[in-house]
């Protein structure tokens, strides 16, 4: 579904929103409890809501709640309602469909052949188009989530077996997806042919696991088996896993921003440890944009590994010049303007004893709207810093993401309407520099970006979208026709 951007306060909107996390296990007693632990590890991928669907051999049980995993699924009464040795779960931040319990995943449907639940990380760029086609055929949608489109495509498929119906459905999709599904007999995983979003296979004492990141396997002591391959559909039954490759072979385009920001630093994705990549990003940044300074300070927490790498390469001491308050959540109520404008200080506070009279290099992962960076810089100056230089561990973010990450529309991205010098003046730093696109590629062990056949999805930096944006193009065409009609 064409991405919709949520209504947020100014401070909340000045960042990338994490996407979603999926986790499933097949063949483990009290499977829902294991899924709960896995979702705890994936909480960084979505803090809005979560859901779990389990199967006990006879019936499916569904629990979906708004809020954090620890606030909902740790209650014994909830876990007692989720019996069975098979379960899948989802932790959500909405990039399509809006808020509300009806959009919380996994989504569940009763087909002619039995029940089926599905959870999705990513964003489908032709879901609205497919939805309209299905509605013309009589389909009735009960949510506004793009994921529900998959259930309807399965329902109307004329193939015989569930796996065939599932493959028939996913091969009609565009965009980014990592799916985990559960039927009465199978757990099914699928990754889009470009492999934009991550999905890994694990093993826990013979029980197979599908998860968004390896950190979710670590928390339960599971063994990492491998990444699900781009374009792979994996079907897990009592006989074990079996893989299908229904998509035409193409060059993968994994989301490079997973390494910059989204994934947890202790995860290993596509054979690369995220923490090590982020340190290398900082090292590349120090080589490309050196600065005379006394101290390297991360904007916590996402800027910390890159700041360590910058410090090591530049030979400038690293210190925690900004302290983060980890107890301020996304649900903090801001009823008055005076409190609302304190949003940055609620989460971050300058360590004035460390930075007073020092020339500071602030290292952050990205700049979105720039308003948060502006406030952090002012906070550091107020604490007595002699100079403030900013180094950004990614190229300028100048385009919106349509693959499962909630970003502001292009016109609200600072880099889409300002030069670097104009951004420097807006943020009020003594100097500002971003990592180059080739510097980012070098940090992930690629010599440089292949412009004819890019190795990653980097559309938020380059506007080079690797898939069709059918819904977006249709929406834009409709808007233009409407303007022409109104001006005619």
């Amino acid at each position: 579904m064409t991405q919709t951007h949520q209504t947020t306060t100014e401070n909340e909107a000045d960042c990338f929103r994490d996407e979603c996390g999926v986790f499933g296990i097949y063949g483990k007693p009290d499977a829902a409890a294991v899924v709960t632990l896995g979702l705890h590890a994936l909480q960084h991928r979505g803090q809005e809501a979560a859901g779990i669907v389990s199967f006990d051999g006879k019936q499916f049980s569904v629990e979906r709640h708004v809020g954090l995993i620890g606030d909902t699924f740790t209650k014994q009464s909830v876990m007692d309602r989720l019996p069975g040795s098979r379960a899948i779960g989802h932790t959500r931040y909405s990039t399509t469909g809006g808020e509300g319990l009806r959009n919380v995943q996994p989504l569940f449907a009763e087909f002619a052949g039995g029940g089926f639940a599905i959870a999705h990380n990513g964003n489908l760029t032709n879901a609205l188009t497919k939805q309209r086609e299905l509605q013309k055929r009589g389909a009735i949608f009960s949510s506004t989530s793009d994921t529900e489109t998959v259930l309807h495509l399965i329902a109307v498929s004329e193939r015989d077996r569930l796996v065939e119906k599932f493959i028939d459905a996913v091969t009609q999709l565009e965009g980014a997806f990592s799916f985990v599904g559960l039927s009465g007999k199978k757990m099914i995983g699928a990754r889009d042919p470009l492999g934009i979003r991550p999905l890994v296979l694990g093993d826990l004492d013979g029980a197979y696991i599908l998860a968004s990141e390896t950190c979710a396997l670590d928390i339960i002591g599971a063994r990492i088996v491998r990444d699900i391959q781009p374009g792979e559909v994996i079907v897990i039954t009592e006989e074990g896993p079996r893989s299908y490759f229904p998509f035409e072979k193409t060059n993968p385009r994994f989301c490079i921003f997973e390494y910059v920001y989204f994934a947890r630093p202790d995860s290993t994705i596509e054979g690369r440890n995220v923490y090590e990549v982020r340190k290398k990003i900082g090292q590349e940044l120090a080589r490309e944009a050196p600065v005379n300074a006394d101290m390297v300070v991360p904007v916590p927490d996402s800027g910390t590994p890159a700041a360590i790498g910058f410090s090591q390469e530049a030979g400038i001491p690293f210190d925690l010049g900004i302290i983060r308050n980890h107890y301020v959540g996304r649900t903090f109520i801001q009823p008055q303007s005076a409190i609302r404008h304190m949003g940055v200080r609620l989460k971050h506070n300058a360590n004035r004893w460390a930075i007073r009279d020092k020339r500071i290099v602030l290292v952050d992962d990205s700049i979105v709207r720039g308003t948060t960076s502006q406030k952090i810089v002012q906070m550091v100056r107020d604490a007595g810093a002699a100079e403030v230089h900013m180094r950004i561990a990614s190229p300028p973010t100048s385009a919106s993401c349509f693959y499962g990450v909630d970003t502001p529309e292009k016109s609200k991205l600072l880099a889409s309407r300002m030069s670097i010098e104009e951004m420097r003046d807006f943020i009020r730093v003594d100097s500002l520099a971003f990592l180059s696109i080739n510097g980012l590629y070098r940090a992930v062990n690629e010599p440089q970006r292949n412009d004819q056949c890019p190795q990653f999805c980097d559309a938020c930096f380059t506007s080079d979208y690797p898939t069709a944006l059918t819904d977006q193009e249709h929406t834009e065409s409709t808007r233009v026709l409407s303007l022409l009609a109104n001006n005619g």
Side-chain angles (χ1 to χ4, degrees), residues 421-469:
E421 181 59 24
E422 288 170 333
M423 286 191 278
R424 184 204 64 77
D425 185 60
F426 177 81
I427 297 168
R428 304 188 190 108
V429 286
D430 294 283
S431 72
L432 172 66
F434 293 78
L435 183 66
S436 70
I437 190 69
N438 282 330
L440 180 55
Y441 272 67
R442 287 193 296 272
V444 292
N445 294 325
E446 293 286 347
Q448 63 180 20
R449 184 181 193 268
N450 184 336
D451 293 337
Q452 281 69 47
C453 185
Q455 304 93 313
F456 293 91
C457 177
D458 52 22
C460 55
F461 308 129
T462 64
S463 298
D464 181 5
Y465 295 99
T467 75
L469 302 177

Side-chain angles (χ1 to χ4, degrees), residues 212-375:
S212 291
E213 294 184 36
T214 61
C215 65
L217 304 180
D218 295 336
I219 197 173
I220 59 172
R223 177 176 65 92
I224 302 168
V225 178
R226 63 178 176 86
D227 290 288
I228 301 302
Q229 296 180 46
E232 180 180 1
V233 174
I234 185 168
V235 180
I236 297 169
T237 65
E238 292 180 353
E239 285 73 43
R242 179 180 178 183
S243 293
Y244 302 81
F245 294 90
F247 297 93
E248 183 178 343
K249 188 73 173 178
T250 187
N251 293 313
R253 295 282 300 272
F254 181 68
C255 172
I256 201 166
F257 211 76
E258 290 275 357
Y259 293 116
V260 176
Y261 175 75
F262 297 124
R264 247 177 59 164
D266 51 336
S267 284
T268 297
I269 299 178
E270 302 286 297
R272 302 176 182 91
N273 176 260
V274 175
Y275 178 74
E276 287 301 317
V277 170
R278 290 180 186 167
K279 280 178 48 178
K280 289 180 181 178
I281 285 173
Q283 291 165 357
E284 290 290 341
L285 186 57
R287 295 185 194 112
E288 290 188 352
V291 60
N292 290 322
D294 304 308
M295 183 184 299
V296 176
V297 174
V299 177
D301 289 323
S302 55
T304 301
I308 292 172
F310 191 103
S311 169
Q312 291 174 344
E313 181 65 25
I316 301 172
F318 169 96
D319 214 336
L320 297 179
I322 299 174
I323 305 301
R324 181 180 175 185
N325 179 2
H326 289 268
Y327 300 96
V328 178
R330 292 173 184 258
T331 56
F332 184 82
I333 299 170
Q334 300 172 332
Q336 298 176 1
S337 177
I339 295 178
R340 212 167 39 239
H341 292 304
M342 291 171 59
V344 169
R345 292 180 185 270
L346 289 168
K347 291 184 179 180
H348 300 103
N349 188 44
N351 184 0
R352 63 179 62 245
W353 297 105
I355 65 178
R356 181 180 294 165
D357 300 325
K358 299 289 197 325
R359 297 171 297 170
I360 303 300
V361 182
L362 285 178
V363 179
D364 204 355
D365 61 89
S366 60
I367 291 178
V368 184
R369 296 174 186 258
T371 51
T372 297
S373 298
Q374 190 182 63
K375 290 181 172 69

Side-chain angles (χ1 to χ4, degrees), residues 25-26 53-55 60 86-88 108 115-118 162 180-188:
I25 186 166
Y26 187 100
V53 174
S54 67
F55 184 71
F60 289 88
R86 308 166 196 170
I88 66 171
F108 179 79
F116 186 72
I118 191 167
L162 174 63
V180 175
L182 185 67
S183 73
K185 296 181 179 179
K186 304 173 177 68
M187 183 167 71
I188 303 176

Side-chain angles (χ1 to χ4, degrees), residues 132-160:
R132 293 189 185 104
E133 294 173 2
L134 289 160
Q135 287 170 330
K136 289 178 181 178
R137 298 171 64 179
I140 300 172
F141 284 75
S142 61
S143 76
T144 54
S145 169
D146 60 342
T147 310
E148 188 178 357
T149 306
V150 184
L151 292 176
H152 286 278
L153 290 172
I154 294 172
V156 301
S157 174
E158 296 182 357
R159 306 291 174 84
D160 294 326

Side-chain angles (χ1 to χ4, degrees), residues 1-6 15-19 93-98 122-128 144 146 176 197 262 399-410 413 460 465 469-473 475:
M1 183 177 293
T2 302
Q3 185 168 334
T4 56
H5 305 288
Q6 309 305 311
C15 62
F16 282 111
R17 292 294 193 173
D18 302 340
E19 327 144 315
Y93 178 77
S94 61
T95 56
T96 68
N123 203 73
L124 307 179
T125 58
N126 68 335
L128 273 176
T144 54
D146 60 342
R197 293 284 157 237
F262 297 124
S400 298
C401 175
F402 297 98
Y403 300 119
V405 180
D406 186 29
T407 54
E409 61 188 57
K410 182 180 175 69
L413 293 167
C460 55
Y465 295 99
L469 302 177
T470 302
D471 292 340
Q472 182 72 11
E473 291 162 2
T475 301

